[in-house]
Amino acid sequence: MLDVSVSYNRYKFIGYEFLTWLWYVIENEKDVLNDSDRPNELVEIGNRIVLQNHLTHTVETITIKGDDAGLEEGYLALQKGAVVTEINLVYKSDDLIWRFCIKGESLGISNLKTPDTAPIEIQEDVEGAILEKGYLYEKMFAFLD
């Protein structure tokens, strides 16, 4: 049996390849991600993509960020053999918007921003706000599954 750190380093490329494929699908074949049971859902590329190209003895990292940033550098990096190591995505469902990052090495989610909830005005609203926030997290993870 392999040590955990050896397995982690040996197979982390799978997450990178998955994120590279996901970028391709979002840009070119959106129908693959659409579920006929949920027609009002949409996934878009957010405002940040990190790519890495493992050259002979060095690692080249390309970071593209900004709301109106062009992805030309990313396409060029892909042609040189780079893979996506981190991607920011926007998930839209009806009028609600979630923003989050997925890291390729562990497929971990970070910087998750859920849609805004109603403000808490009185003490009795706290329980409802917690339940609403829990629902928003649950809906996000159900989509990811």
Side-chain angles (χ1 to χ4, degrees), residues 43-66:
V43 179
E44 298 175 344
I45 302 297
N47 58 7
R48 186 167 191 262
I49 297 177
V50 179
L51 298 105
Q52 278 188 357
N53 192 356
H54 294 277
L55 303 171
T56 53
H57 296 302
T58 61
V59 175
E60 180 182 46
T61 302
I62 300 97
T63 303
I64 303 167
K65 56 183 171 175

Side-chain angles (χ1 to χ4, degrees), residues 7-31:
S7 296
Y8 183 80
N9 287 321
R10 184 178 293 176
Y11 298 112
K12 68 182 176 182
F13 76 92
I14 295 171
Y16 299 155
E17 295 290 333
F18 171 72
L19 292 182
T20 305
W21 171 83
L22 184 63
W23 182 18
Y24 172 81
V25 167
I26 290 172
E27 292 286 323
N28 299 305
E29 300 177 7
K30 290 188 179 200
D31 295 339

